[in-house]
Amino acid sequence: MATPTEPRPREQLTIPDVLPVLPLRGGTIVYPLAVVPLAVAQPQVIQLIDDTMRRDRLVAMIAQRRDDVETPGPDDLYRIGAVAIIHQLTRGGDGALHVVVQGLERIRMVDIVKTDPYLVARLEPVPERFLAGPESAGLRREAVDRYRRLVGLFGLPEELAATVERVTDPRQLVYLMASTLPFDRNARQELLELDPVDAKLHRLVDLLQRLDQRITPEIKEQLAKQRSIQEERGERKDEGDVADLRRRFEEVHLPEKARREAERELNRLASIPPASREHGLIRTYLDWMFSLPWEQVTGGDIDMVRAKQVLDEDHYDLEKTKDRILEYLAVRKLRRERAAALDADLKTPDEPVLCFVGPPGVGKTSLEQSIARALGRNFVRVSLAGVRDEAEVRGHRRTHVSALPGRIIQGLRRAHARDPVFVLDDIDKVGADWRGDPALALLEVLDGAQNHAFVDHYLDVPFDLSHVLFIATASTIETIPLPLLKRVELIALSGYTAEEKVQIARHYLVPKQVRVHGLTSDEVSFDDESIRAIIRGYTREVGVGSLEREIATVCRKVARNIAEGKPGSVQVTADNVADFLNRPRFFDDVAERTDRSGVATGLAWTPGGGDVLFVEATMMPSQEERLILTGMLGGVMRESALAALSFVRSNAEQLLGLDPSVFLGKAVHIHVPAGAIPKDGPSAGITVATAIASLASGRPVRSDVAMSGEITLRGKVLQVGGIREKVLAAHSAGITTVILPRRNERDLDDVPADLRQKLEFVFADEATEVLDRALKHEATRVDT
């Protein structure tokens, strides 16, 4: 079906005098202002489109006079057509092309330039004249009235009638009606060729009248036969699907607006033939209306004691996070209980939406499930990763080819309740394009002042979302759309220390995996050292997702042995872990990498948690003094490296007692291994400076030291973020001393207390303090 669009301004169009001609078959006419999908299978037309896509994507669309001509010539085509632009192209598995074209302007074919391998013609534009006479308004009203009647008779979407009523451009009105009603090829071509537009309206009204006179007796005869058959069978009109829908309509308690809309659609359904496409569309719509949880609730009063008990049962540590959740539930409980006594301004729910932020495996999903269990509510989760269409949230209008409600309404139907714990997963991965901004649609969903009357475009009636407890998750803050970032309250879940992982595995992961794999604690058991061995040698993430997968691998192997009849209980220890998981995949190689000068250990934040980076530096003779950077470094890290080199070179004598000429005639090469992984961020400045200073002085960097901080040209050490994640990564890598900017000292409150006792922290304001602590006093020979 063609879709009307606003015409592009004439000054923006540059239509060539010569264009390839695409013959249209099957009565298809491409009108100006219309977007039309086409399927193409002829080899010469496929070549035409391929060539057009390499140029300006403009092509002349002219209808054939007869469909039985496989290779039409000039005499087989009408003279008047439309120039169109190809917007989309997809290739089917059978080699056919599916294209979407937009008509731009009416043209006339003057003569043929060539016919091989396809038609190319010389064209001239034929602008359409607008001569609005006194009859124009009356013709328009009559056309709209007749079109509305025919839409119902042909089972077309009723929204088409509403669309034509809003069209003010008479040319657009003619083309929309002509492309959606079953006129023959000659009539459609005649409407394209007629001038002025008033003449098109006259002819359109005449065609609508003839179509109405022809189709009405046919429809009446069909309905009469249908009623006769039903009467012979002893059936009533409302039996079957319609009767079932009427029964459901009486049973479900719909709000007033939804009830009126459902009743109207039910009455329409009873008068539309079952074979009509519109019958199926209405039936699907009513099925959605009657299956939504308009009144069903699952959660009762909030029991704070039970909520605390459930959170403690399901999660080890995370005290700050659990306290914030309990505070949130307490406020929600008091607001509900004291709603009558609250001021009018306070009755509008403006509670923040909790958003758990952290890498995979840190417990975001399990926390949400615990909240649902504590409240006794149903749980539903919707992933927003990759959503770029606003209709994914608000739903598609029923005029859309494959219209459905948005993900919010779909999730509520799955939840079977109007008050579930509703998780919006991965809000940091929501995008936006020409189809709208889903983030703005989500604002309406999450805003307590608006969501009590949320209107999904498919339902087109309000649905109350104020009882839903929305919770969001994200992997990183940086990519959360700004409108959503202002609406949510961020709760960071950074990760766990090795000891915390051991406790989580002992109390949660091992019992769960033993049970899931059909085993008992007598058949398989893990001691703490075996869990530590798995953590050190087989996982390198701040969460526990990988740890749980490795434990599951051990349980599968034990289950197989038992199923094969091998008796005995299995005790997993640090000595036999490799028998189940093969050789370790990770090693503590900090000391090995930093055993010579020019290598420093840095700490970085990634969406997956903290990480340890090794910065390597070397110098070589060069005719041009320059800095070489490799390792997929981003723009921020490149600038940090330039600043670090400039600082060390300008202060070589004061810092290291070196002759500044050590850098003359040399190229300095900075490399961060794992070059296939992009790296960027403002945390590597002091690490690069330390690697360069180590190289120039020949003094290796201490193998037990790692650092993070930005540097200025004056040698100031600037504050950075992600301290908790970086400290966890340093501890996992066997680091004992961490150098951080002075202003990050307060961020140690986020680091677990036991980890603060195990590590030594050095806080620096100046790069000289970093070098004094990081570099060894003795030098090794370095060839520069």
Side-chain angles (χ1 to χ4, degrees):
M1 184 189 302
T3 305
T5 63
E6 291 296 327
R8 299 199 300 180
R10 178 67 183 89
E11 60 270 19
Q12 295 183 8
L13 301 178
T14 303
I15 299 177
D17 295 334
V18 176
L19 280 177
V21 177
L22 194 157
L24 297 173
R25 306 173 66 182
T28 300
I29 303 290
V30 174
Y31 292 115
L33 316 180
V35 175
V36 183
L38 299 173
V40 176
Q42 299 94 327
Q44 65 270 25
V45 181
I46 292 176
Q47 183 180 350
L48 181 154
I49 292 177
D50 286 338
D51 293 346
T52 301
M53 292 299 290
R54 298 188 188 100
R55 295 192 297 267
D56 52 11
R57 296 186 297 159
L58 293 176
V59 61
M61 298 284 184
I62 302 178
Q64 292 184 205
R65 297 180 183 275
R66 296 167 49 194
D67 288 341
D68 56 355
V69 180
E70 289 295 329
T71 307
D75 296 336
D76 300 312
L77 301 176
Y78 290 101
R79 290 294 169 181
I80 301 295
V83 63
I85 184 170
I86 301 175
H87 278 308
Q88 294 181 15
L89 183 149
T90 56
R91 298 183 186 273
D94 56 355
L97 297 183
H98 299 275
V99 298
V100 177
V101 301
Q102 177 187 353
L104 301 178
E105 186 171 319
R106 196 171 61 163
I107 49 92
R108 176 184 289 109
M109 185 170 60
V110 179
D111 55 43
I112 299 300
V113 175
K114 66 174 185 176
T115 59
D116 188 46
Y118 45 77
L119 284 176
V120 177
R122 182 172 288 104
L123 312 169
E124 64 178 10
V126 188
E128 292 163 288
R129 294 178 296 144
F130 292 82
L131 299 177
E135 298 179 349
S136 297
L139 288 171
R140 181 187 179 281
R141 284 195 299 271
E142 184 176 357
V144 170
D145 290 342
R146 290 189 178 275
Y147 183 80
R148 187 189 300 112
R149 171 180 171 78
L150 290 169
V151 161
L153 292 175
F154 281 101
L156 297 173
E158 187 175 329
E159 286 75 8
L160 281 174
T163 300
V164 300
E165 290 178 358
R166 295 192 296 267
V167 175
T168 57
D169 182 352
R171 180 178 59 153
Q172 188 177 4
L173 182 75
V174 171
Y175 291 154
L176 174 58
M177 292 184 180
S179 59
T180 53
L181 288 176
F183 295 141
D184 59 34
R185 182 193 350 245
N186 292 333
R188 289 183 173 180
Q189 182 68 24
E190 182 184 5
L191 288 172
L192 177 64
E193 295 182 0
L194 277 173
D195 239 3
V197 175
D198 262 17
K200 296 179 188 288
L201 271 174
H202 272 287
R203 182 56 177 155
L204 175 66
V205 170
D206 181 53
L207 290 171
L208 291 172
Q209 183 177 3
R210 294 186 182 186
L211 186 61
D212 191 8
Q213 293 172 348
R214 175 174 63 86
I215 199 65
T216 300
E218 297 176 5
I219 294 293
K220 288 181 177 178
E221 183 180 354
Q222 181 180 358
L223 292 175
K225 289 181 179 179
Q226 183 178 356
R227 285 194 297 269
S228 175
I229 293 173
Q230 289 175 337
E231 290 172 359
E232 289 177 5
R233 294 178 178 177
E235 298 177 352
R236 295 193 312 272
K237 180 181 178 182
D238 283 347
E239 288 186 342
D241 286 349
V242 177
D244 179 62
L245 289 172
R246 287 193 180 278
R247 177 184 57 78
R248 293 173 63 186
F249 172 72
E250 297 299 331
E251 293 175 353
V252 70
H253 298 286
L254 297 174
E256 183 59 29
K257 289 184 179 180
R259 187 172 187 83
R260 286 201 304 267
E261 181 68 15
E263 188 171 15
R264 187 176 72 87
E265 292 296 322
L266 263 174
N267 293 334
R268 284 187 60 217
L269 184 69
S271 63
I272 294 177
S276 168
R277 175 177 176 270
E278 184 73 357
H279 188 282
L281 295 177
I282 296 175
R283 180 147 185 0
T284 302
Y285 172 77
L286 291 173
D287 183 65
W288 272 100
M289 289 284 281
F290 300 154
S291 61
L292 289 176
W294 297 95
E295 289 191 332
Q296 295 90 328
V297 294
T298 54
D301 295 335
I302 298 176
D303 186 340
M304 296 301 299
V305 175
R306 171 169 169 74
K308 186 177 188 307
Q309 178 185 355
V310 169
L311 290 173
D312 289 338
E313 287 176 359
D314 293 351
H315 299 277
Y316 175 80
D317 199 21
L318 297 179
E319 295 304 326
K320 289 185 178 180
T321 301
K322 290 189 285 188
D323 285 345
R324 179 63 191 92
I325 293 172
L326 292 173
E327 292 167 3
Y328 177 80
L329 296 179
V331 172
R332 197 174 181 92
K333 173 183 174 69
L334 292 181
R335 290 179 67 96
R336 296 295 183 268
E337 292 176 352
R338 303 177 181 180
L342 290 176
D343 295 336
D345 292 341
L346 296 177
K347 289 179 181 179
T348 300
D350 56 356
E351 302 153 341
V353 176
L354 299 182
C355 178
F356 298 120
V357 182
V362 294
K364 299 190 295 292
T365 301
S366 58
L367 272 172
E368 297 149 359
Q369 292 172 337
S370 296
I371 293 173
R373 189 162 75 90
L375 298 178
R377 297 192 183 193
N378 292 352
F379 177 83
V380 63
R381 174 180 172 272
V382 169
S383 176
L384 300 175
V387 171
R388 309 185 73 85
D389 186 353
E390 184 180 343
E392 292 283 341
V393 178
R394 296 186 188 275
H396 294 88
R397 298 192 184 277
R398 277 181 279 166
T399 51
H400 194 272
V401 175
S402 54
L404 279 177
R407 299 194 182 196
I408 304 301
I409 295 298
Q410 291 184 36
L412 287 173
R413 186 168 82 161
R414 293 198 304 272
H416 303 293
R418 68 170 182 165
D419 65 340
V421 172
F422 198 120
V423 176
L424 301 171
D425 215 0
D426 295 321
I427 64 169
D428 56 322
K429 298 179 178 63
V430 173
D433 58 19
W434 58 272
R435 293 170 293 183
D437 190 348
L440 298 180
L442 285 171
L443 278 184
E444 181 183 346
V445 171
L446 301 178
D447 188 352
Q450 302 182 58
N451 65 10
H452 65 282
F454 172 73
V455 177
D456 183 277
H457 287 163
Y458 180 83
L459 298 181
D460 205 25
V461 293
F463 192 98
D464 186 0
L465 299 180
S466 61
H467 300 277
V468 180
L469 177 57
F470 287 105
I471 300 176
T473 71
S475 297
T476 177
I477 299 174
E478 280 71 14
T479 55
I480 298 178
L482 186 59
L484 290 180
L485 188 60
K486 293 180 178 180
R487 186 67 188 85
V488 300
E489 178 180 341
L490 302 175
I491 298 180
L493 299 171
S494 304
Y496 307 100
T497 66
E499 277 309 307
E500 288 173 337
K501 291 181 181 180
V502 171
Q503 297 302 321
I504 293 171
R506 181 201 295 171
H507 293 98
Y508 303 99
L509 304 184
V510 170
K512 173 186 174 183
Q513 292 303 321
V514 169
R515 183 177 64 256
V516 166
H517 287 84
L519 302 171
T520 66
S521 57
D522 295 332
E523 293 171 324
V524 59
S525 61
F526 294 75
D527 62 23
D528 289 355
E529 288 306 315
S530 67
I531 297 173
R532 291 190 180 93
I534 296 174
I535 293 170
R536 286 193 305 269
Y538 299 90
T539 67
R540 276 292 164 89
E541 65 172 5
V542 295
V544 293
S546 295
L547 176 59
E548 184 172 13
R549 286 189 289 272
E550 298 300 334
I551 293 172
T553 300
V554 175
C555 292
R556 285 198 303 272
K557 294 184 182 297
V558 173
R560 176 183 174 180
N561 290 339
I562 294 176
E564 290 176 349
K566 299 177 183 178
S569 176
V570 175
Q571 173 69 36
V572 183
T573 66
D575 296 331
N576 65 4
V577 162
D579 296 339
F580 298 96
L581 301 177
N582 299 322
R583 60 180 181 271
R585 294 188 288 274
F586 302 103
F587 303 91
D588 295 334
D589 57 352
V590 175
E592 179 181 342
R593 292 208 185 198
T594 59
D595 61 352
R596 59 165 293 167
S597 61
V599 182
T601 306
L603 299 173
W605 180 93
T606 71
D611 198 5
V612 173
L613 294 181
F614 297 96
V615 177
E616 301 176 347
T618 189
M619 287 193 296
M620 64 204 80
S622 174
Q623 295 180 354
E624 178 186 357
E625 295 178 11
R626 59 193 178 115
L627 176 64
I628 303 171
L629 299 171
T630 55
M632 289 285 285
L633 306 184
V636 177
M637 286 189 71
R638 288 176 175 271
E639 292 186 359
S640 297
L642 287 168
L645 176 60
S646 297
F647 169 74
V648 175
R649 288 192 62 175
S650 60
N651 296 277
E653 187 172 0
Q654 297 93 321
L655 291 174
L656 309 168
L658 297 177
D659 184 348
S661 63
V662 68
F663 293 99
L664 294 178
K666 302 290 178 61
V668 179
H669 186 168
I670 304 296
H671 177 65
V672 182
I677 303 173
K679 312 170 191 72
D680 199 11
S683 301
I686 63 172
T687 311
V688 176
T690 302
I692 296 173
S694 171
L695 174 70
S697 65
R699 296 164 57 187
V701 180
R702 289 173 48 190
S703 62
D704 60 343
V705 171
M707 63 198 73
S708 179
E710 187 57 290
I711 193 173
T712 70
L713 290 175
R714 297 177 297 140
K716 292 290 185 181
V717 179
L718 302 182
Q719 181 180 1
V720 293
I723 297 301
R724 176 186 168 96
E725 293 88 343
K726 293 173 181 178
V727 171
L728 290 174
H731 177 65
S732 298
I735 298 295
T736 58
T737 302
V738 177
I739 302 176
L740 297 172
R742 175 79 60 186
R743 292 187 178 180
N744 284 118
E745 186 172 1
R746 60 187 178 183
D747 294 323
L748 286 189
D749 293 342
D750 297 331
V751 177
D754 63 326
L755 200 55
R756 294 200 299 267
Q757 296 174 359
K758 292 179 181 180
L759 297 176
E760 179 185 2
F761 293 93
V762 177
F763 298 99
D765 287 318
E766 303 284 344
T768 54
E769 301 173 53
V770 177
L771 299 180
D772 289 342
R773 194 58 187 267
L775 297 179
K776 294 181 179 180
H777 294 293
E778 68 278 5
T780 59
R781 182 177 180 275
V782 180
D783 295 328
T784 59

